[in-house]
Amino acid sequence: MTSYFDDLETRSPDAREAAQLAGLNAQLAKYAIDPLESLGDLKGLPVLRKSELSKRQAAMPPFGGLPVSNIAHVFQSPGPIYEPGGNSHDWWRMGRFLNACGIGPGDIVQNCFGYHLTPAGMIFENGARAVGAVVLPAGTGQTELQVTAARDVGVTAYAGTPDYLKIILEKADEMGVSLGITRAAVGGGALFPSLRAWYKDRGITCLQCYATADLGNIAYESPAQEGMILDEHMIVEIVTPGTGDPVAPGEVGEVVVTSLNPDYPLIRFATGDLSAILPGASPCGRTNTRIKGWMGRADQTTKIKGMFVRPEQVAQLVAKHDSIARARVVASREGEMDVMTVRIETGASDASAFENSIAEVLKLKGRVELVPPGGLPRDGLVIEDTRTYD
């Protein structure tokens, strides 16, 4: 296996900009938008936000009238928002990240991303095929069976959320099973330095990517572990949150992405995530721009255990019970695990009465804390993230 996935990763900035401008103008033509003279002219086009895309999809299902083509799957994410998926070579461009992780022919990847409705499982499976690896489509849950399967088939690499591998390894220890996992490709949540160090102590190199269901892989770590390198088929802008105005170089802002995937052309798609451009190039030799990685949300939407929790969902929970006056979701950490606590302002005394609704509406199980009427702060927050990312 070569060090780089292809020659695109080491091309000159001028060659990259010229190719991306040509790709961008091909995408714009599908919307009958006149070609641009430079990538900098993108700032004059409107930003597409998820809320707008959701409304467009409701009016023109399933994809809101966007020029989608050559797809093999339709996925559903919370909202709901529907995403197309293809099965052509490296459709989501995840192979580039897996190659950077050192995964390739001869590897068996235990893919612990979900395959049910959401695209994450297929995104990583498609990438594994692109690098010639074999996939164990494990999905989530049933940890003891995960350990048994990993041992029996000789799994060498893991793909999934950052903290689930720790659960698998600890279960293997409990069962007295030795596993041969030496590389981990993770996403869907923050990789905390303490957790990366824990894996390193067990002989596992763990790298992370930044990807979304709508866009696929946006940026990824290389063995240099100095920021995240932008994918070669993405144009990324960092803008002032809530606007389309680029921030000064190095400043933190919202990540806005233009995809050069001809089958699903998203122009200036606002991710709602915060990041910043890093100066210079990666020591690994890849020449594309780097970002600092995920630095939080531009709005209150928060990712917990790999799933987004949105303010609209909290509002749905409140509306579901007349006895709930207000609610606040608190994201925290215990050890290396995400914890969700739902604080409910109510006169009720039975917390279990709300557990089923929380799992149904928020798509996650969490702790329930009842507070008396007037007990929640009136500061406008419905989702509070107390985790630190240092």
mmCIF file of all heavy atoms in Angstrom, residues 304 328-332 334 339-344 358 362 365-370 382 384:
data_model
loop_
_atom_site.group_PDB
_atom_site.id
_atom_site.type_symbol
_atom_site.label_atom_id
_atom_site.label_comp_id
_atom_site.label_asym_id
_atom_site.label_seq_id
_atom_site.Cartn_x
_atom_site.Cartn_y
_atom_site.Cartn_z
ATOM 1 N N ILE A 304 -24.341 13.732 20.850
ATOM 2 C CA ILE A 304 -24.172 12.926 22.055
ATOM 3 C C ILE A 304 -24.191 11.461 21.646
ATOM 4 O O ILE A 304 -25.118 11.019 20.969
ATOM 5 C CB ILE A 304 -25.292 13.192 23.088
ATOM 6 C CG1 ILE A 304 -25.422 14.685 23.385
ATOM 7 C CG2 ILE A 304 -25.034 12.408 24.375
ATOM 8 C CD1 ILE A 304 -26.618 15.037 24.251
ATOM 9 N N ARG A 328 -34.370 20.750 29.650
ATOM 10 C CA ARG A 328 -33.015 21.060 29.198
ATOM 11 C C ARG A 328 -32.214 19.764 29.119
ATOM 12 O O ARG A 328 -32.225 18.966 30.075
ATOM 13 C CB ARG A 328 -32.328 22.029 30.163
ATOM 14 C CG ARG A 328 -30.861 22.285 29.810
ATOM 15 C CD ARG A 328 -30.174 23.240 30.788
ATOM 16 N NE ARG A 328 -30.720 24.569 30.698
ATOM 17 C CZ ARG A 328 -30.024 25.687 30.971
ATOM 18 N NH1 ARG A 328 -28.761 25.594 31.332
ATOM 19 N NH2 ARG A 328 -30.592 26.858 30.891
ATOM 20 N N VAL A 329 -31.549 19.559 27.984
ATOM 21 C CA VAL A 329 -30.667 18.405 27.815
ATOM 22 C C VAL A 329 -29.250 18.838 28.177
ATOM 23 O O VAL A 329 -28.755 19.851 27.670
ATOM 24 C CB VAL A 329 -30.713 17.874 26.366
ATOM 25 C CG1 VAL A 329 -29.629 16.825 26.140
ATOM 26 C CG2 VAL A 329 -32.087 17.283 26.071
ATOM 27 N N VAL A 330 -28.599 18.078 29.036
ATOM 28 C CA VAL A 330 -27.227 18.371 29.453
ATOM 29 C C VAL A 330 -26.326 17.235 28.986
ATOM 30 O O VAL A 330 -26.556 16.063 29.317
ATOM 31 C CB VAL A 330 -27.119 18.528 30.987
ATOM 32 C CG1 VAL A 330 -25.677 18.834 31.388
ATOM 33 C CG2 VAL A 330 -28.059 19.627 31.473
ATOM 34 N N ALA A 331 -25.332 17.560 28.173
ATOM 35 C CA ALA A 331 -24.349 16.582 27.711
ATOM 36 C C ALA A 331 -23.112 16.680 28.589
ATOM 37 O O ALA A 331 -22.558 17.760 28.781
ATOM 38 C CB ALA A 331 -23.974 16.844 26.254
ATOM 39 N N SER A 332 -22.681 15.538 29.132
ATOM 40 C CA SER A 332 -21.513 15.520 30.014
ATOM 41 C C SER A 332 -20.690 14.279 29.723
ATOM 42 O O SER A 332 -21.021 13.488 28.839
ATOM 43 C CB SER A 332 -21.952 15.558 31.483
ATOM 44 O OG SER A 332 -22.767 14.430 31.787
ATOM 45 N N GLU A 334 -18.504 10.975 31.648
ATOM 46 C CA GLU A 334 -18.083 10.206 32.812
ATOM 47 C C GLU A 334 -17.058 9.205 32.328
ATOM 48 O O GLU A 334 -17.386 8.330 31.519
ATOM 49 C CB GLU A 334 -19.278 9.510 33.474
ATOM 50 C CG GLU A 334 -20.197 10.462 34.210
ATOM 51 C CD GLU A 334 -21.274 9.750 35.002
ATOM 52 O OE1 GLU A 334 -21.270 8.497 35.002
ATOM 53 O OE2 GLU A 334 -22.120 10.438 35.604
ATOM 54 N N VAL A 339 -22.615 11.143 28.439
ATOM 55 C CA VAL A 339 -23.794 10.947 29.280
ATOM 56 C C VAL A 339 -24.803 12.038 28.935
ATOM 57 O O VAL A 339 -24.443 13.211 28.822
ATOM 58 C CB VAL A 339 -23.440 11.017 30.782
ATOM 59 C CG1 VAL A 339 -24.696 10.933 31.640
ATOM 60 C CG2 VAL A 339 -22.468 9.907 31.153
ATOM 61 N N MET A 340 -26.061 11.652 28.749
ATOM 62 C CA MET A 340 -27.132 12.616 28.517
ATOM 63 C C MET A 340 -28.062 12.645 29.719
ATOM 64 O O MET A 340 -28.586 11.611 30.138
ATOM 65 C CB MET A 340 -27.935 12.258 27.267
ATOM 66 C CG MET A 340 -29.044 13.274 26.959
ATOM 67 S SD MET A 340 -30.000 12.876 25.467
ATOM 68 C CE MET A 340 -31.065 11.560 26.089
ATOM 69 N N THR A 341 -28.236 13.829 30.290
ATOM 70 C CA THR A 341 -29.186 14.036 31.374
ATOM 71 C C THR A 341 -30.269 14.989 30.886
ATOM 72 O O THR A 341 -29.955 16.049 30.334
ATOM 73 C CB THR A 341 -28.499 14.628 32.615
ATOM 74 O OG1 THR A 341 -27.454 13.745 33.041
ATOM 75 C CG2 THR A 341 -29.486 14.825 33.756
ATOM 76 N N VAL A 342 -31.521 14.605 31.069
ATOM 77 C CA VAL A 342 -32.637 15.457 30.675
ATOM 78 C C VAL A 342 -33.240 16.047 31.950
ATOM 79 O O VAL A 342 -33.806 15.317 32.777
ATOM 80 C CB VAL A 342 -33.700 14.671 29.884
ATOM 81 C CG1 VAL A 342 -34.818 15.624 29.439
ATOM 82 C CG2 VAL A 342 -33.073 13.994 28.675
ATOM 83 N N ARG A 343 -33.089 17.346 32.113
ATOM 84 C CA ARG A 343 -33.638 18.044 33.272
ATOM 85 C C ARG A 343 -35.033 18.550 32.897
ATOM 86 O O ARG A 343 -35.200 19.311 31.937
ATOM 87 C CB ARG A 343 -32.732 19.194 33.702
ATOM 88 C CG ARG A 343 -31.291 18.787 33.990
ATOM 89 C CD ARG A 343 -30.508 19.950 34.571
ATOM 90 N NE ARG A 343 -30.985 20.276 35.917
ATOM 91 C CZ ARG A 343 -30.837 21.470 36.494
ATOM 92 N NH1 ARG A 343 -30.247 22.461 35.836
ATOM 93 N NH2 ARG A 343 -31.287 21.695 37.708
ATOM 94 N N ILE A 344 -36.013 18.113 33.649
ATOM 95 C CA ILE A 344 -37.411 18.426 33.330
ATOM 96 C C ILE A 344 -38.011 19.260 34.454
ATOM 97 O O ILE A 344 -38.011 18.856 35.625
ATOM 98 C CB ILE A 344 -38.223 17.123 33.145
ATOM 99 C CG1 ILE A 344 -37.723 16.379 31.902
ATOM 100 C CG2 ILE A 344 -39.713 17.429 33.029
ATOM 101 C CD1 ILE A 344 -38.392 15.043 31.683
ATOM 102 N N ILE A 358 -38.549 10.269 26.093
ATOM 103 C CA ILE A 358 -37.187 10.744 25.843
ATOM 104 C C ILE A 358 -36.507 9.868 24.803
ATOM 105 O O ILE A 358 -35.903 10.358 23.845
ATOM 106 C CB ILE A 358 -36.390 10.784 27.154
ATOM 107 C CG1 ILE A 358 -36.890 11.924 28.047
ATOM 108 C CG2 ILE A 358 -34.892 10.934 26.886
ATOM 109 C CD1 ILE A 358 -36.340 11.894 29.454
ATOM 110 N N LEU A 362 -35.822 11.896 21.443
ATOM 111 C CA LEU A 362 -34.407 12.268 21.351
ATOM 112 C C LEU A 362 -33.552 11.176 20.715
ATOM 113 O O LEU A 362 -32.374 11.400 20.422
ATOM 114 C CB LEU A 362 -33.851 12.616 22.730
ATOM 115 C CG LEU A 362 -34.559 13.750 23.489
ATOM 116 C CD1 LEU A 362 -33.864 14.024 24.803
ATOM 117 C CD2 LEU A 362 -34.626 15.014 22.643
ATOM 118 N N LYS A 365 -31.278 7.102 25.077
ATOM 119 C CA LYS A 365 -31.674 6.937 26.455
ATOM 120 C C LYS A 365 -30.797 7.831 27.327
ATOM 121 O O LYS A 365 -29.619 8.023 27.040
ATOM 122 C CB LYS A 365 -31.536 5.475 26.882
ATOM 123 C CG LYS A 365 -32.521 4.536 26.182
ATOM 124 C CD LYS A 365 -32.362 3.112 26.675
ATOM 125 C CE LYS A 365 -33.365 2.194 25.989
ATOM 126 N NZ LYS A 365 -33.240 0.780 26.442
ATOM 127 N N GLY A 366 -31.383 8.378 28.372
ATOM 128 C CA GLY A 366 -30.613 9.253 29.236
ATOM 129 C C GLY A 366 -31.175 9.276 30.647
ATOM 130 O O GLY A 366 -32.237 8.717 30.937
ATOM 131 N N ARG A 367 -30.438 9.904 31.523
ATOM 132 C CA ARG A 367 -30.906 10.102 32.884
ATOM 133 C C ARG A 367 -31.999 11.166 32.896
ATOM 134 O O ARG A 367 -31.998 12.084 32.077
ATOM 135 C CB ARG A 367 -29.755 10.532 33.773
ATOM 136 C CG ARG A 367 -28.626 9.516 33.853
ATOM 137 C CD ARG A 367 -27.417 10.089 34.581
ATOM 138 N NE ARG A 367 -26.324 9.127 34.647
ATOM 139 C CZ ARG A 367 -25.105 9.427 35.057
ATOM 140 N NH1 ARG A 367 -24.820 10.666 35.441
ATOM 141 N NH2 ARG A 367 -24.169 8.496 35.081
ATOM 142 N N VAL A 368 -32.904 11.048 33.849
ATOM 143 C CA VAL A 368 -33.976 12.029 33.994
ATOM 144 C C VAL A 368 -33.850 12.688 35.364
ATOM 145 O O VAL A 368 -33.758 12.003 36.390
ATOM 146 C CB VAL A 368 -35.361 11.376 33.849
ATOM 147 C CG1 VAL A 368 -36.456 12.451 33.946
ATOM 148 C CG2 VAL A 368 -35.471 10.629 32.531
ATOM 149 N N GLU A 369 -33.812 14.005 35.364
ATOM 150 C CA GLU A 369 -33.736 14.758 36.618
ATOM 151 C C GLU A 369 -34.921 15.713 36.670
ATOM 152 O O GLU A 369 -35.080 16.561 35.785
ATOM 153 C CB GLU A 369 -32.423 15.547 36.682
ATOM 154 C CG GLU A 369 -32.267 16.408 37.933
ATOM 155 C CD GLU A 369 -31.029 17.275 37.888
ATOM 156 O OE1 GLU A 369 -30.048 16.871 37.232
ATOM 157 O OE2 GLU A 369 -31.055 18.368 38.496
ATOM 158 N N LEU A 370 -35.761 15.563 37.669
ATOM 159 C CA LEU A 370 -36.923 16.433 37.830
ATOM 160 C C LEU A 370 -36.563 17.638 38.690
ATOM 161 O O LEU A 370 -35.919 17.497 39.732
ATOM 162 C CB LEU A 370 -38.076 15.659 38.473
ATOM 163 C CG LEU A 370 -38.546 14.386 37.757
ATOM 164 C CD1 LEU A 370 -39.757 13.800 38.469
ATOM 165 C CD2 LEU A 370 -38.850 14.656 36.296
ATOM 166 N N VAL A 382 -31.626 25.322 25.829
ATOM 167 C CA VAL A 382 -32.361 24.071 25.960
ATOM 168 C C VAL A 382 -31.423 22.876 25.841
ATOM 169 O O VAL A 382 -31.784 21.760 26.217
ATOM 170 C CB VAL A 382 -33.495 23.954 24.919
ATOM 171 C CG1 VAL A 382 -34.556 25.008 25.172
ATOM 172 C CG2 VAL A 382 -32.961 24.061 23.496
ATOM 173 N N GLU A 384 -27.353 22.042 26.807
ATOM 174 C CA GLU A 384 -26.134 22.531 27.450
ATOM 175 C C GLU A 384 -25.050 21.458 27.347
ATOM 176 O O GLU A 384 -25.258 20.316 27.752
ATOM 177 C CB GLU A 384 -26.414 22.843 28.912
ATOM 178 C CG GLU A 384 -25.211 23.338 29.693
ATOM 179 C CD GLU A 384 -25.521 23.560 31.159
ATOM 180 O OE1 GLU A 384 -26.671 23.301 31.566
ATOM 181 O OE2 GLU A 384 -24.606 23.977 31.892
#
